[in-house]
Amino acid sequence: MPQFDLPVAERRVPQPEHVELLLEAPALAATLTPGQFAHVWTPGTLRRPISFSRTTPEGWVGLLFRVVGPGTAWLAERRAGDRLDVLAPLGHGFPDPEPGPVLLVGGGVGIPPLFAAAQRWGKTHPVSVILGARSADALVMADDFRALGLHPILTTDDGSVGERGRVSGPVAQWLARQGGGQVMACGPTPMLAAVAQLVGGGRPCWLAYEQRMGCGVGACLACVVPGAGADGRPEWIRVCHDGPVLSSQRLLWPQDA
Ligand SMILES: Cc1cc2nc3c(=O)[nH]c(=O)nc-3n(C[C@H](O)[C@H](O)[C@H](O)COP(=O)(O)OP(=O)(O)OC[C@H]3O[C@@H](n4cnc5c(N)ncnc54)[C@H](O)[C@@H]3O)c2cc1C
Ligand code: FES
């Protein structure tokens, strides 16, 4: 398992309670697939999984996270020059999309890996972006998408920025407008279930599943979710090892189980 001791090059605070650490990691930046994650050592807890948010021309990689508990609180206190012990790159990221339109759907802390996807495929595919969060404070990276020349549609539960409501409305409109195309999404499980249901079986839909994890490398089974194998039989999927990006066709949602 590749393990790195990486210096923090820059610390940003994009929104309240959110921090992005840019790490100097040219070797890692050159091999990353959007949707892969880092398992980061934090004191007194298990490692914490964080998706890569971006790569930069300097050979930096980004980790953008919301402070929710002791691990992310410790990470949020890191400053330029501090070093992080990181296992990476872990898991399977988003596959190269087929030619044609791509819709990126990000919810809350699920937005960062979709920005990495926009960096990778924004110039090779017609990319549309829909971002959602509970309120403006939790809606990250909209300006980063705009800096790539994209025009994200924003939704918030409380209407504090963009359309009031969930991402489902704009997703349904995009699907109705586009005859084909493919969807990549990351966010809370109910959002992923809603996106999978709206897309149905007719076009590719890839979901980055941010399930709680233990070991991060397939050994402890802390992260399993129910799925359906190629032969349709039920199987347990280890999100860290088989995902975190999974085809929506492989996942079983509570209503399917
Ligand atoms: C593959 C993957 C990628 C991730 N990428 C990001 C990212 O890019 N940015 C980001 O902010 N977070 C991301 N997360 C979630 C992040 O790992 C957790 O927020 C973090 O581990 C919390 O650690 P903590 O010690 O601060 O809080 P804890 O004390 O561990 O948790 C605090 C609270 O958050 C809840 N929580 C913790 N992890 C999750 C989770 N995965 N899903 C839902 N609720 C959770 C706990 O139930 C608890 O209520 C990702 C998770 C996975 C599995
Ligand atoms: S976190 Fe241990 S098997 Fe996935």
Side-chain angles (χ1 to χ4, degrees):
M1 191 59 48
Q3 184 167 4
F4 298 90
D5 172 40
L6 299 175
V8 176
E10 195 176 316
R11 174 185 184 272
R12 299 177 182 168
V13 181
Q15 300 280 45
E17 295 177 11
H18 291 76
V19 171
E20 185 172 27
L21 297 177
L22 281 306
L23 309 177
E24 278 181 54
L28 197 49
T31 60
L32 274 186
T33 302
Q36 288 186 303
F37 66 98
H39 218 199
V40 187
W41 183 88
T42 61
T45 63
L46 292 170
R47 285 176 181 270
R48 292 304 190 229
I50 308 285
S51 301
F52 289 102
S53 54
R54 72 176 84 226
T55 56
T56 76
E58 300 92 333
W60 299 351
V61 297
L63 299 176
L64 193 163
F65 51 90
R66 179 161 176 254
V67 179
V68 295
T72 47
W74 182 83
L75 284 174
E77 291 307 313
R78 298 311 96 200
R79 295 291 187 276
D82 289 345
R83 303 184 80 89
L84 290 186
D85 171 345
V86 167
L87 296 180
L90 295 190
H92 297 280
F94 292 103
D96 272 323
E98 298 158 12
V102 176
L103 174 63
L104 306 179
V105 187
V109 294
I111 293 172
L114 277 310
F115 180 73
Q119 280 190 313
R120 174 70 60 89
W121 294 299
K123 288 201 166 57
T124 55
H125 291 68
V127 168
S128 304
V129 183
I130 299 171
L131 307 178
R134 62 179 195 289
S135 67
D137 277 2
L139 209 152
V140 292
M141 303 195 94
D143 285 341
D144 292 300
F145 284 96
R146 292 187 191 108
L148 292 182
L150 299 169
H151 305 285
I153 293 172
L154 310 183
T155 69
T156 46
D157 295 352
D158 63 2
S160 50
V161 68
E163 298 176 22
R164 180 190 294 271
R166 301 275 160 90
V167 295
S168 316
V171 170
Q173 287 163 15
W174 187 91
L175 292 168
R177 268 200 317 275
Q178 303 287 343
Q182 53 231 294
V183 177
M184 300 179 181
C186 184
T189 305
M191 188 203 95
L192 297 183
V195 169
Q197 192 177 21
L198 285 167
V199 177
R203 35 190 150 190
C205 177
W206 296 97
L207 306 174
Y209 210 109
E210 295 192 341
Q211 181 73 358
R212 292 220 72 178
M213 285 183 183
C215 69
V217 293
C220 74
L221 305 185
C223 65
V224 294
V225 294
D231 57 3
R233 280 198 297 195
E235 64 172 5
W236 289 107
I237 297 173
R238 287 171 298 171
V239 172
C240 65
H241 180 267
D242 306 321
V245 175
L246 295 158
S247 164
S248 62
Q249 298 296 303
R250 258 190 97 182
L251 288 160
L252 285 182
W253 307 103
Q255 69 270 18
D256 307 321

